[in-house]
C-alpha cells in the first residue's frame, strides 16, 4: 500500500527497472563488504570439529563461546600462553597517552598556524606536511636512534612519542583548516577584549571546536589501535600492542591451527575501532572527508 | 586639547602589497568620523591598525595623546564593533559583555554595574541570559555595541556594523548609534560603504581610495564641493552628471562640442580658471525644470529620452543636443518620452575638474 | 611609574624575536618534528645509504655499492614488481569502485546511511585484521574454494595465497575491501559539493545520467580525484602490514613488497646500509609521483 503512495522527491515507482538495478548493485556490494565480518563471527562461534566438516559460510550448529575465552586468556604466542588480554591492555596503555598528547600537540600547532602566524610558520607547516608523504621506512631507523638517545627505546613512552610524531601532519592540517574557518572577527574581538594567546585558545577556540576534537580523536584512536609496524619496531615483546600479538598468535607455526580461536582473536582486536566507528558515524566520515578533501 | 586619535605617516604592507601609504589623519575629541570608500580601498585595514590588530609597517598612532603604535589592542582604550557581530557563541550575552572586563580584572561588582548600565542604554536586559544563537541580527549587533560600551573607552571603532542587517533595521540602528554618540560624546570612527550612513552620521567624512584619503571634510562640504572627480562621482545618488568638454577661461564658457554650450559665470574657482579640457559636474537634483527653470541663470531645452518614476520624484534621462544629462523632476510632474522640457541651473552649484589631474578647479 | 613604563613600551616596537612569543614557543614541537625528524631523519637515512653499515650505522663510504647490490637482489626486484602491479591495479580499481559506489549513494537512495556504513566499516579495521580474515576466507581447505567444490564443481581452483602467480590477487581482494570505503566517502563529498543546479540543467537539456557523469561531473571533480589519487598512492607505498598478516611474503618470496624488504633488511638481517638504500629508493618513488602533483598544485595556486 504505502509503496505506491507518491513520495515528493521521487516520482519513480518503487519497482522501476532503474531502482532494481540501483538497489541490486548496492546489495551485491554490501554482501562483499559484509561477508568477512559474518565469516569472522560464525567461525568464532563454532568448535573445531564443526569447522573441519562444515562450510565457512554456514551458521554454527551449536554456538560455543569457548574460542572467545581461549583467545582472550589462553592463546599462545611463543612460550607465553596468557591470551590476547595482555596485548589488549598494552594497547590501552599505549593508546591513552598517545591520544591525549598527539591531539593536544596537533590542536595547539593548528591554532598557531591558523591564528598566530609568524614569519616562517608557513614554511615549517609545509615541511611538516611533506612529512606525511615520507614512507615510514625511511624514518624507522633514525627514530630508533632518537629514542635510544632519549632513553625511551623499547618503552611505551617511546611508542607514544612515535605516534605523536607521525600523527602530526594530518591532525595539524585538520585543526588548522578548522580554525582558519572560524570567523576572524571573533578572534579580533577577543584581542580587543584583552585575551592573549592562551586565553583565546582555551576560552574562545576550544569551546567552539568540539567536533574537530572528536574527529581528530577518532582518527587517532583507530590509527593508534590499528598500528602494527611501530609496535613491532619500537617496543619489546612484553609491551607488544594487540595487533602484533594477534598476528603472532594467528601466524605462529607451532601447534595445531585453531581457526575458531584465531577468528575470535581477530574480532576482539577489531572490536575497539569498530565500536568507535559505529558510534561516531557521521563524525568519522566528516573527519576523513575533511582531512582528505580540504588538503 | 590634543586630538583624540592622531595618525602620522602610517604605512602598512602585506608583504609586497602596500595597502596604506603615508596616511595622516587627526580625529578630534568626541568627533564622529566616517571612513567611506569602495570595497578593498583599505578602510578595514586602517581601522585594524588603529585597534592594534595589525602590526603596522611604518608610522605612529596616538590615542588620547599617548603613543600606542605598539600597544596591545586591549590597552589602547578602544572598543570595536564588527560587521559579523563576532559574539562568542558559547557564552551568554552577559558572558560576552563581561569577557573583556574579566580579562582586565575588573571587580565583580563593577562588572555587574557596567553591564546593567549598558543593557539599559541598549535595551537588551531581557536578553542577558541568552546565547547569541538565540538572538536576531539586530539584537546581536546591539550586544556587540554593548561589548564596546562596557569597556568604558574613549574611542569606538565600527567596521560596517550595519551591513548584515536588512534595510529597515539598518535605518533604526543608525538612528540609535547617532543617539548613542550624542549621549556618550566619545570619539567614533565608523567604516561603511553606504553613503546614507555616512552623510547622516558623520561630523566629518574621509573618502578613501586605494589606501589614501581623498577628501576629509564635513558631509555638506563633500557633497557641495568635492575635491576631485572621484569624490564627486562617489557621493550622491543618483550620481552626479560628469560631462566632458572645453572650458574657455576668458569668457567663462563651457562647450561639450555636442551641442551644449553654457556660461559658468558665477562658479567659484578654487584656482585660476584655465582654458582647456575639463569635466563639468552637475548633480541631478540641482537641475530645475518647468517654471522654476526660468529663475535660473543657465537655461536650456532638454529632449526627454527615458523616464523613471520613483514615486516621490521622477528621474529623467534627457539629451541636450547630443549631450546626455540626467536630472530629477517632481514626482507629480507629467513628462513623457519625446517631450521637450525647459531646464535651468545655477553655475554656483556646479563642479569643474581639470580633465587630466581630475582635481577641482 | 608602571603606567609610564607601559606608555614607553607601547611606543616602541618589541624585539623581533619576542614578538608573538607564546606562538613561537607553541610551534616548537612542529619545528622539532618537521626539521628534526622528517628532514633530519630523511637526510640521515640517505647519507647512510652510501655507507657499508651493517649491524650498526657507520660512515664508511662505499659510493653506490649498496644500490648496485640492491638492484641485483632478486627479492628486491620481485618486491618492486609486486608493488608496481599491486599499485596500478589497486589504484585503478579503488578509484573506479570508489566513484561508482559514491555515485550509487548519490542517487537519492533510501538507507543511504546504512549502505555507507557498510562500505566504510572495513576502513576502521587494521590491515592485520583484514589480512587475517581474508587469509581465512581464501583458505583452500575451508574457504571459498572448498565451498564451491562442495557445490559440485570439484575442479574449481582458487587458492591465491598458495599460488605464486595469483598471490597479488589475494592481496588485492583484501586491500580493496579495506580501502575503497575511504575513496567512496571522499568522492561522495566531492559529488555533494556539486551544485544541484548542474543536475537540473542537464536534466532540462535531456542529457542521460551516465553521460552527465562522464562529460560534466567527473571533469568538475578533478581536484577530488587528484586528492584521492595522492591518498591511495601514498597508502600503496606503505603496504606492509597486510602482506605480513596474509602471506608473510610467501609463497616463497612471491608476495614480498619494498616496505617489508626494508623492515627485514634493517631489523632481522641487520644489513643497515642495504636497508637504507632500499628505503631511499622508496622515497625516490614517492617523490617521482609527488613532485609533478606538487608542481601542479603550485601552478594552480599561482593563477
Ligand atoms: N591579510 C592580507 N594579506 C594581503 N592583502 C590583504 C590582507 N588583508 C587585506 N588585504 C588587501 O588590502 C586591501 C584593503 O583591504 P580592506 O579589508 O582594508 O578593504 P576594505 O576597504 O575594508 O573593503 P570592504 O569594504 O570590502 O570591507 C584589499 O585590496 C585586500 O585585498
Ligand atoms: Mg572591510
Amino acid at each position: 500500500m504505502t509503496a505506491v503512495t507518491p513520495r515528493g522527491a521521487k516520482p519513480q515507482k518503487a519497482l522501476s527497472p532503474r531502482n532494481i538495478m540501483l538497489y541490486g548493485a548496492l546489495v551485491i556490494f554490501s554482501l562483499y563488504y559484509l561477508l568477512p565480518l559474518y565469516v569472522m563471527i560464525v567461525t568464532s562461534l563454532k568448535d573445531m570439529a564443526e569447522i573441519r566438516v562444515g562450510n565457512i559460510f554456514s551458521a554454527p550448529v551449536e554456538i560455543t563461546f569457548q574460542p572467545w575465552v581461549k583467545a582472550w586468556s589462553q592463546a599462545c604466542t611463543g612460550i607465553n600462553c596468557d591470551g590476547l588480554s595482555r596485548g589488549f591492555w598494552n594497547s590501552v596503555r599505549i593508546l591513552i597517552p598517545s591520544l591525549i598528547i598527539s591531539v593536544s600537540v596537533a590542536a595547539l600547532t593548528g591554532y598557531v598556524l591558523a591564528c598566530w602566524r609568524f614569519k616562517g610558520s608557513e614554511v615549517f607547516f609545509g615541511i611538516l606536511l611533506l612529512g606525511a608523504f615520507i614512507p615510514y621506512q625511511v624514518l624507522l631507523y633514525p627514530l630508533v636512534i632518537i629514542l635510544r638517545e632519549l632513553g625511551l627505546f623499547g618503552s611505551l613512552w617511546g611508542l607514544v612519542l612515535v605516534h605523536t610524531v607521525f600523527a602530526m601532519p594530518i591532525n595539524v592540517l585538520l585543526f588548522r583548516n578548522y580554525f582558519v574557518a572560524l570567523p576572524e572577527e571573533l578572534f579580533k574581538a577577543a584581542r580587543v577584549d584583552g585575551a592573549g594567546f592562551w586565553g583565546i585558545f582555551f576560552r574562545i577556540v576550544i569551546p567552539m571546536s568540539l567536533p574537530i576534537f572528536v574527529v581528530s580523536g577518532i582518527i587517532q584512536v583507530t590509527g593508534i589501535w590499528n598500528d602494527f609496524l611501530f609496535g613491532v619496531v619500537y617496543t619489546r615483546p612484553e609491551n607488544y600492542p594487540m595487533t602484533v600479538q594477534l598476528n603472532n598468535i594467528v601466524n605462529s607455526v607451532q601447534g595445531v591451527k585453531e581457526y575458531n580461536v584465531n577468528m575470535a582473536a581477530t574480532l576482539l582486536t577489531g572490536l575497539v575501532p569498530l565500536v568507535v566507528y559505529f558510534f561516531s558515524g557521521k563524525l568519522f566520515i566528516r573527519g576523513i572527508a575533511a582531512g582528505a578533501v580540504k588538503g | 586639547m590634543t586630538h583624540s586619535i592622531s595618525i602620522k605617516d602610517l604605512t602598512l604592507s602585506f608583504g609586497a602589497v602596500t595597502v596604506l601609504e603615508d596616511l595622516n589623519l587627526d580625529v578630534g575629541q568626541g568627533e564622529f568620523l566616517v571612513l567611506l570608500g569602495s570595497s578593498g580601498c583599505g578602510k578595514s585595514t586602517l581601522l585594524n591598525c588603529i585597534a592594534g590588530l595589525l602590526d603596522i609597517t611604518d608610522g605612529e598612532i596616538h590615542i588620547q595623546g599617548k603613543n600606542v603604535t605598539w600597544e596591545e589592542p586591549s590597552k589602547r582604550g578602544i572598543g570595536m564593533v564588527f560587521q559579523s557581530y563576532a559574539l562568542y557563541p558559547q557564552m551568554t550575552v552577559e558572558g560576552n559583555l563581561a569577557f573583556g572586563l574579566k580579562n582586565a580584572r575588573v571587580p565583580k561588582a563593577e562588572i555587574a554595574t557596567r553591564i546593567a548600565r549598558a543593557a539599559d542604554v541598549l535595551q537588551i536586559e531581557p536578553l542577558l541570559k541568552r546565547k547569541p544563537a538565540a538572538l536576531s541580527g539586530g539584537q546581536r549587533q546591539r550586544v556587540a555595541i554593548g561589548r564596546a560600551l562596557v569597556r568604558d573607552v574613549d574611542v569606538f571603532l565600527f567596521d560596517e556594523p550595519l551591513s548584515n542587517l536588512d534595510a529597515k533595521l539598518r535605518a533604526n540602528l543608525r538612528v540609535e548609534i547617532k543617539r548613542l554618540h550624542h549621549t556618550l560624546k566619545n570619539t567614533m570612527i565608523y567604516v561603511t560603504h553606504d553613503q546614507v550612513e555616512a552623510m547622516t552620521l558623520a561630523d566629518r567624512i574621509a573618502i578613501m581610495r586605494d589606501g589614501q584619503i581623498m577628501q576629509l571634510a564635513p558631509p555638506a562640504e563633500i557633497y557641495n564641493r568635492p575635491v576631485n572627480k572621484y569624490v564627486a562621482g562617489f557621493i550622491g545618488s543618483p550620481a552626479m552628471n560628469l560631462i566632458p568638454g572645453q572650458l574657455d577661461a576668458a569668457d567663462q564658457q563651457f562647450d561639450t562640442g555636442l551641442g551644449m554650450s553654457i556660461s559658468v559665470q558665477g562658479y567659484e574657482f578654487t584656482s585660476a580658471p584655465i582654458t582647456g579640457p575639463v569635466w563639468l559636474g552637475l548633480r541631478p537634483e540641482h537641475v530645475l525644470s518647468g517654471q522654476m527653470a526660468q529663475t535660473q541663470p543657465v537655461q536650456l531645452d532638454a529632449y526627454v529620452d527615458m523616464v523613471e518614476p520613483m514615486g516621490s520624484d521622477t528621474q529623467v534621462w534627457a539629451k541636450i543636443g547630443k549631450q546626455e544629462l540626467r536630472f530629477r523632476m517632481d514626482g507629480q510632474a507629467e513628462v513623457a518620452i519625446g517631450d521637450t522640457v525647459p531646464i535651468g541651473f545655477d553655475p554656483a552649484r556646479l563642479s569643474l575638474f581639470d580633465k587630466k589631474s581630475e582635481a577641482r578647479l | 611609574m608602571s603606567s609610564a613604563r607601559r606608555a614607553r613600551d607601547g611606543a616602541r616596537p618589541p624585539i623581533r624575536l619576542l614578538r608573538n612569543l607564546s606562538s613561537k614557543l607553541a610551534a616548537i614541537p612542529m619545528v622539532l618534528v618537521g626539521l628534526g625528524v622528517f628532514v633530519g631523519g630523511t637526510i640521515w637515512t640517505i647519507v647512510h645509504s652510501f655507507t657499508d653499515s651493517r649491524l650498526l650505522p657507520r660512515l664508511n663510504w662505499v659510493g653506490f655499492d649498496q644500490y648496485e647490490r640492491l638492484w641485483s637482489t632478486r627479492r628486491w626486484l620481485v618486491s618492486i614488481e609486486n608493488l608496481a602491479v599491486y599499485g596500478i591495479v589497486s589504484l585503478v580499481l579503488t578509484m573506479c569502485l570508489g566513484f561508482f559506489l559514491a555515485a550509487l549513494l548519490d542517487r537519492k537512495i533510501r538507507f543511504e546511511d546504512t549502505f555507507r556504513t557498510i562500505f566504510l566499516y572495513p576502513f576502521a579495521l587494521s590491515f592485520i585484521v583484514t589480512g587475517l580474515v581474508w587469509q581465512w576466507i581464501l583458505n583452500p581447505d575451508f574457504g571459498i574454494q572448498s565451498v564451491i567444490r562442495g557445490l559440485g564443481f570439484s575442479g574449481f581452483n582458487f587458492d591465491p595465497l598458495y599460488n605464486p602467480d595469483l598471490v597479488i590477487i589475494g592481496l588485492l581482494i583484501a586491500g580493496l575491501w579495506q580501502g575503497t570505503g575511504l575513496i567512496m566517502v571522499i568522492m561522495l563529498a566531492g559529488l555533494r559539493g556539486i551544485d544541484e543546479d548542474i543536475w537540473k540543467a542537464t536534466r532540462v537539456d535531456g542529457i542521460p545520467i551516465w553521460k552527465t557523469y562522464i562529460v560534466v561531473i567527473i571533469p568538475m571533480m578533478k581536484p577530488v580525484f587528484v586528492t584521492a589519487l595522492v591518498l591511495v598512492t601514498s597508502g600503496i607505498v606503505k603496504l606492509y602490514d597486510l602482506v605480513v598478516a596474509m602471506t608473510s611474503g610467501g609463497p616463497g618470496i612471491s608476495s614480498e613488497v619494498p616496505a617489508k624488504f626494508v623492515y627485514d633488511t634493517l631489523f632481522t638481517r641487520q644489513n643497515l646500509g642495504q636497508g637504507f638504500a632500499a628505503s631511499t629508493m622508496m622515497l625516490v618513488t614517492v617523490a617521482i609521483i609527488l613532485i609533478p602533483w606538487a608542481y601542479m598544485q603550485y601552478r594552480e595556486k599561482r593563477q
Side-chain angles (χ1 to χ4, degrees), chain B residues 14 17 19 37-46 159-160 191 193:
Chain B
F14 294 109
V17 191
V19 176
S38 55
S39 198
C41 68
K43 307 178 296 286
S44 300
T45 306
L46 175 56
D159 193 352
E160 305 191 29
V191 166
H193 46 220

